[in-house]
Amino acid sequence: LKIDSTDLLTAIQQSGLRGRGGAGFPMGDKLEFCDKAPGAIKFVICNADEGDPGAYSDRYLLEQQPFAVLFGMLICGRITGAQYGILYIRAEYPEAKTSVEKAIQELINHGCCGSAILGSSFDFQFKIIQAQGSYICGEETALINSIEGQRPEVRTRPPYPAQQGLFNKPTVVQNVETLAALYPIMELGWKAWRRVGTAVASGTKLVSLDGFFNRPGIYEVAMGTPLSVVFYELGGGFKH
């Protein structure tokens, strides 16, 4: 809160953080587009509708590290001027919903969300929405339609959500892992984040190894790590 929002945005852009949801779009650019978009009301949406078979990194973060995700949303709100954060969590993750609810209540108890956060002029409210089980809602514009109560269909772009998203207001939509990356970038500095990974893709990535591996679980690896290392050194190879 003591750092100017422009400096926060610059740090994220310098970090080279790209979206972890698949498209790899630069996070800093998306935040800048939303920041520059006119509008008194803006939104930050956490896309937690994890529907890919065998993937459960989002579930891990929501259940085990919910504050990392919530702090990431707060940082987005601080940069863009958004006042509302919406977590769109798939209904098959009831434990994740419970964990996030407890974390939000703790933030409220410490004055870290709501109105005039820690005595500042920054207001930010959280809301949880349980997804209705449609795979297409993993796509950001279909997700926005779902929140609005419309048929979950992909919207024609442009306009992009950063300019015209939820209820036609500027909206930042990011997946769980991307939001969770913002806190370590702010805490450790963008240079530390940039030293990990590759020149094109900085930082780390969570990978999910399921029951077909000898050592299943969630592993955090540097971007650029060969899949052979993930499969055989971390996962211990395939069972059959």
Side-chain angles (χ1 to χ4, degrees):
L1 291 171
K2 295 177 181 177
I3 302 174
D4 187 80
S5 61
T6 304
D7 294 333
L8 292 175
L9 176 60
T10 300
I12 294 170
Q13 291 174 325
Q14 294 284 2
S15 75
L17 175 64
R18 291 176 175 269
R20 282 359 190 194
F25 191 81
M27 173 67 156
D29 290 353
K30 184 179 288 190
L31 290 173
E32 185 175 18
F33 295 152
C34 186
D35 177 41
K36 291 183 177 179
I41 298 176
K42 298 181 181 182
F43 298 95
V44 176
I45 296 177
C46 173
N47 183 350
D49 191 38
E50 185 174 49
D52 296 309
Y56 48 92
S57 54
D58 290 357
R59 180 178 185 178
Y60 160 74
L61 287 169
L62 292 170
E63 291 182 7
Q64 303 296 327
Q65 299 195 44
F67 288 109
V69 181
L70 296 175
F71 281 140
M73 297 179 72
L74 284 163
I75 291 168
C76 288
R78 177 84 171 84
I79 291 171
T80 61
Q83 307 95 336
Y84 303 98
I86 299 168
L87 295 107
Y88 189 86
I89 303 174
R90 66 180 308 201
E92 290 85 352
Y93 289 175
E95 295 90 351
K97 177 176 179 289
T98 301
S99 177
V100 173
E101 284 176 338
K102 289 180 179 178
I104 291 173
Q105 186 58 51
E106 193 163 340
L107 288 178
I108 292 172
N109 294 343
H110 286 82
C112 294
C113 70
S115 301
I117 295 174
L118 297 177
S120 71
S121 59
F122 178 41
D123 301 336
F124 199 84
Q125 312 277 350
F126 286 105
K127 181 178 178 63
I128 297 174
I129 293 178
Q130 284 193 284
Q132 297 304 308
S134 176
Y135 180 80
I136 191 62
C137 289
E139 196 282 331
E140 61 180 7
T141 59
L143 181 153
I144 289 171
N145 274 356
S146 175
I147 294 175
E148 292 180 351
Q150 302 184 54
R151 188 181 182 89
E153 296 177 332
V154 176
R155 295 182 181 181
T156 302
R157 288 169 290 191
Y160 294 93
Q163 282 88 32
Q164 194 172 325
L166 184 63
F167 304 119
N168 292 324
K169 305 297 184 183
T171 304
V172 171
V173 184
Q174 283 291 0
N175 89 314
V176 177
E177 189 177 348
T178 315
L179 290 165
L182 293 178
Y183 181 75
I185 291 173
M186 291 298 111
E187 183 185 33
L188 304 174
W190 66 265
K191 291 182 180 178
W193 178 268
R194 193 94 201 204
R195 282 195 291 267
V196 180
T198 69
V200 177
S202 61
T204 62
K205 181 76 183 74
L206 295 180
V207 292
S208 308
L209 301 186
D210 61 17
F212 285 103
F213 291 90
N214 287 308
R215 289 195 296 269
I218 290 282
Y219 293 89
E220 184 176 13
V221 299
M223 294 292 281
T225 300
L227 285 178
S228 58
V229 173
V230 175
F231 289 172
Y232 300 108
E233 293 185 21
L234 300 178
F238 297 97
K239 285 183 177 179
H240 55 81

